[in-house]
Amino acid sequence: VVWAVGTTESGLVWTWRWDPVGGAPDERLWGIPDATDLSGRSIVVQPDGRPVLGGEHLVSGTTDFDLWCARLVADGTTSDPTFGSFGLVVHGFDVAPPGFDDDYLLDLALDSEGRIVLLAETEIGAGTFDSASDLGFVRFDSAGDLDPGFGTGGARTLDFLPGTGRD
């Protein structure tokens, strides 16, 4: 089965699924309640066939982008109710003042134990991502809960460059 994820011009996430053994391509549109400027960036498929996708979104009433991660049922027709809240989890690093606290998904992966790891660029202070950002990692267990055994409460940031430079 081949999967793809992306973003429409109207700010919805689309998924595309094609089973080359007798299946017709299937495209679906997805939204997140109370979110605008939704972006779909990455998708991986768990060994049991359930796709996990992620990106970032602007939370309504704020100026900051946070990460989101969703899991669908194996055929991609609906979200997986056993993951997070109705198939969705969100996370914001919230390490910078409001207005300078954006998080952007770079990629997501599954670790050897089936946990979901998000890699992000997280803004750490006033300026732009070109001048003030770190790498951020978030790990969720298979139920969509933050993994308390990873970093601080399931998340951590890494600063490879001294000061407030871009990592």
Side-chain angles (χ1 to χ4, degrees):
V1 176
V2 179
W3 284 93
V5 65
T7 308
T8 68
E9 288 182 12
S10 61
L12 294 173
V13 170
W14 59 262
T15 55
W16 184 84
R17 177 187 184 273
W18 177 56
D19 183 348
V21 182
D26 181 50
E27 184 174 356
R28 305 270 172 169
L29 296 177
W30 307 92
I32 294 178
D34 299 321
T36 59
D37 291 333
L38 186 62
S39 293
R41 302 257 182 228
S42 186
I43 190 167
V44 296
V45 180
Q46 294 179 316
D48 63 5
R50 292 182 292 182
V52 177
L53 48 146
E56 67 276 338
H57 70 285
L58 184 64
V59 180
S60 294
T62 74
T63 59
D64 298 323
F65 284 86
D66 284 343
L67 305 175
W68 64 267
C69 179
R71 186 169 66 199
L72 307 178
V73 296
D75 68 2
T77 57
T78 187
S79 59
D80 180 350
T82 68
F83 183 76
S85 177
F86 303 103
L88 176 71
V89 293
V90 296
H91 180 79
F93 284 96
D94 301 328
V95 294
F100 303 100
D101 196 23
D102 293 330
D103 303 316
Y104 290 97
L105 185 73
L106 299 174
D107 207 353
L108 61 89
L110 302 174
D111 74 8
S112 62
E113 295 183 29
R115 296 173 295 208
I116 300 162
V117 181
L118 279 62
L119 167 63
E121 185 172 12
T122 182
E123 199 170 17
I124 59 171
T128 65
F129 272 103
D130 291 333
S131 62
S133 65
D134 283 347
L135 290 177
F137 298 85
V138 183
R139 188 165 74 187
F140 296 99
D141 65 19
S142 62
D145 297 318
L146 286 168
D147 180 355
F150 180 77
T152 303
R156 69 175 300 182
T157 58
L158 294 176
D159 182 11
F160 291 106
L161 300 176
T164 58
R166 182 178 189 188
D167 292 340

